[in-house]
Every structure is written in C-alpha cells, then in structure tokens.
C-alpha cells in the first residue's frame, strides 16, 4: 500500500515491516543514484545504499520531521559518501585531460556499426560526466548532483549540506563554472573545434572495462530491464544531453 510521508515515518518508527519494504522500494534507487554519482563506483554505491538504509532503520526514531524525509536520507547518504572518500585521492581536471588526449584513437570507432557506436557513445557520455564529477571538490560535487541532476531546491540542499543558502548558491555556481570550463576546452559536443570526441574513446573504454560490451539483444532488441529502470535511463540520458548542450545557459541563470 502507498504511504504518505508522515504515515511512512510513523510506521517506520513503529517497526512496521510493510513500511520498511515500501521505503526500500521507493528510496533505494534515489540513494544509489546519489552515491554512484558521488563515488563513481557501482559496488561502493551499493554498499553506501545498504548502509544508508540500515542507518535510517536504526535512527528513524530520532527523526523529528524538521525537514522532509528525502532531505534527511540524502544527508545520511552524503555523510557516508564523505566518510568513504576522506582517505581517497581526488581526481583532477588536468589528470582527466591527460587521459583523454593520450588515449584517443580516431580509427577505433570505424570498426563498429552505427547502432553499436550509438550504444557505446551513450555509455561514454555518462562515464565522462561521472569522471567530471570526481574532479570536483566533495561539496561542489554534491550540490551539482543534487541541484542540477536531481532538481533539489536550494533551501533543502542547504539543509542536506548543513550550509547557508548563500554558501550553497556559491558552490553551485563554482561547480557549474568548473565543468563548463573543462567542456569548453575539450568536449567536441560542447564546442565543435575541440579534439575530444566520444566515439574516439570507445576502444580505450572497452579495454578498461569502463563501458559495457555490446550484444545483439542490447543494441537491436529490448534489454531485459524493468519499466522503471528504462524510464530512469531515459531521464538520465536526457539530463546528460541537456547538460552538455545548455550548461552555459544554466550558469548564467544562476548568477
């Protein structure tokens, strides 16, 4: 049965099994998407998702309802991601540029069919975005994902980050500016005079295991995906294309 937020919180506090299953079904994908974009690793994102759900279960009685349940859950996820990343070295935009210019091969894409090429390029676009996010500082990464990709409003985002709304706006502006600067210097989709093309990274990405190998059922048929996942994938791709084409407009609107 569907639960309103207040009902869900109350039932979770009572230890209701049906409410817990409802929470897992309806919140897990949002938690995972945030963790994956923050960490850039699917296994780590799965671990963070499980840890977040456990923390929600263990601490729900302390939830006072001063913010939305999603805001509280996102804050838990953000804190777990921060803890996970504290001992890891952050990637930089310069290191990403070195990889791109060193590994591109213009002949790589010629051996693939048009359908296969499209299949790979869609994955590379998502991988490139994940790579760019990893080059941002932790809080810039968090605000970009939550505000630009997840459409979380400034006031709720400030609560998740435990920062003022003005500080949050500055972080959003800086994150967009940093990504826009990289795209202006490198990305062919953003500037046709640039060298970097997604199709030239196919062979390299396949060898590294960064993108999934194609097969007839994936490129020609309907993948074995649930309707919900298909919808999520389409929305994700739509947002990625929007970012590449209109990031400058978004930046100007935020000033």
């Amino acid at each position: 049965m569907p639960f309103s937020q207040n009902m869900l919180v109350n039932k979770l506090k009572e230890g209701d099994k049906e409410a817990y299953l409802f929470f897992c079904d309806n919140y897990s994908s949002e938690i995972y998407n945030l963790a994956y974009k923050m960490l850039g690793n699917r296994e780590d994102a799965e671990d963070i998702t499980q840890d977040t759900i456990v923390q929600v279960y263990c601490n729900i009685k302390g939830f006072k309802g001063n913010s939305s349940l999603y805001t509280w859950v996102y804050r838990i996820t953000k804190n777990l991601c921060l803890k996970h990343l504290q001992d890891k070295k952050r990637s930089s935009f310069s290191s990403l540029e070195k990889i791109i210019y060193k590994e591109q091969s213009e002949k790589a894409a010629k051996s693939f069919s048009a359908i296969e090429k499209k299949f790979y390029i869609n994955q590379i676009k998502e991988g490139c975005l994940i790579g760019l996010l990893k080059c941002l500082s932790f809080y810039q990464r968090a605000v970009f994902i939550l505000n630009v990709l997840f459409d979380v409003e400034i006031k709720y985002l400030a609560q998740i980050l435990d920062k003022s709304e003005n500080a949050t706006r500055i972080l959003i502006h800086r994150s967009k500016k940093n990504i826009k600067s990289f795209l202006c210097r490198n990305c062919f989709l953003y500037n046709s005079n640039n060298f970097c093309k997604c199709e030239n990274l196919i062979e390299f990405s396949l060898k590294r295991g960064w993108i999934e190998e194609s097969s007839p059922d994936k490129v020609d048929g309907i993948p074995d995906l649930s309707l919900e996942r298909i919808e999520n994938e389409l929305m994700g791709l739509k947002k990625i294309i929007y970012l590449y084409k209109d990031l400058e407009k978004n930046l100007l609107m935020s000033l």
Side-chain angles (χ1 to χ4, degrees), residues 85-102:
L85 290 170
Q86 280 176 338
D87 296 328
K88 291 182 177 291
K89 184 178 179 181
R90 180 168 64 90
S91 300
S92 67
F93 286 104
S94 60
S95 64
L96 185 59
E97 284 177 326
K98 288 179 182 177
I99 291 175
I100 288 174
Y101 283 90
K102 179 181 178 182

Side-chain angles (χ1 to χ4, degrees), residues 240-253:
I240 290 171
I241 293 172
Y242 172 81
L243 287 173
Y244 276 95
K245 290 186 176 179
D246 297 307
L247 197 55
E248 182 173 16
K249 181 176 68 176
N250 287 342
L251 174 61
L252 292 173
M253 290 174 63

Side-chain angles (χ1 to χ4, degrees), residues 44-219:
D44 290 342
E46 289 172 359
D47 290 340
I48 293 294
T49 301
Q50 294 175 6
D51 291 346
T52 300
I53 290 173
V54 170
Q55 285 213 16
V56 169
Y57 180 78
C58 293
N59 297 292
I60 187 64
K61 291 184 179 180
F63 177 66
K64 299 179 180 179
N66 296 328
S67 62
S68 73
L69 183 59
Y70 262 119
T71 298
W72 185 63
V73 171
Y74 278 151
R75 184 183 298 162
I76 292 174
T77 308
K78 178 264 296 183
N79 289 337
L80 288 173
C81 288
L82 177 58
K83 183 178 180 181
H84 179 85
L85 290 170
Q86 280 176 338
D87 296 328
K88 291 182 177 291
K89 184 178 179 181
R90 180 168 64 90
S91 300
S92 67
F93 286 104
S94 60
S95 64
L96 185 59
E97 284 177 326
K98 288 179 182 177
I99 291 175
I100 288 174
Y101 283 90
K102 179 181 178 182
E103 301 296 344
Q104 286 205 83
S105 170
E106 297 203 13
K107 65 179 182 179
K110 296 180 181 179
S111 60
F112 301 106
S113 69
I115 295 176
E116 285 179 317
K117 193 184 298 184
K118 182 178 180 181
F119 175 78
Y120 288 133
I121 286 174
N122 286 342
Q123 292 187 71
I124 287 172
K125 286 179 183 178
E126 180 182 7
C128 183
L129 180 60
I130 294 297
L132 289 173
L133 292 174
K134 290 176 72 174
C135 296
L136 295 172
S137 68
F138 177 82
Y139 282 101
Q140 286 185 23
R141 190 186 317 177
V143 297
F144 190 92
I145 294 167
L146 289 167
N147 180 256
V148 178
L149 299 180
F150 290 6
D151 299 320
V152 175
E153 294 180 31
I154 297 290
K155 60 180 180 180
Y156 301 123
L157 184 53
Q159 293 175 16
I160 293 169
L161 301 179
D162 294 319
K163 294 185 178 294
S164 68
E165 291 187 17
N166 187 53
T168 301
R169 288 190 182 92
I170 292 173
L171 283 168
I172 293 172
H173 167 71
R174 288 175 178 170
S175 69
K176 290 179 178 179
K177 183 178 180 180
N178 285 334
I179 289 183
K180 173 181 174 288
S181 177
F182 180 92
L183 294 175
C184 283
R185 292 194 309 271
N186 300 284
C187 182
F188 179 82
L189 295 174
Y190 198 75
N191 183 339
S192 59
N193 293 320
N194 287 328
F195 174 70
C196 182
K197 296 183 181 180
C198 297
E199 62 185 43
N200 295 339
L201 292 170
I202 293 176
E203 187 175 289
F204 167 71
S205 299
L206 282 170
K207 287 180 180 178
R208 289 291 186 96
W210 290 353
I211 60 177
E212 184 181 0
E213 190 82 39
S214 70
S215 62
D217 63 311
K218 292 173 182 174
V219 297

Side-chain angles (χ1 to χ4, degrees), residues 19-53:
Y20 181 72
L21 292 174
F22 178 87
F23 173 83
C24 292
D25 289 341
N26 289 273
Y27 284 70
S28 293
S29 62
E30 298 289 344
I31 297 169
Y32 174 84
N33 286 336
L34 172 57
Y36 174 57
K37 288 181 171 62
M38 288 296 300
L39 305 176
N41 181 284
R42 297 192 184 279
E43 291 183 0
D44 290 342
E46 289 172 359
D47 290 340
I48 293 294
T49 301
Q50 294 175 6
D51 291 346
T52 300
I53 290 173

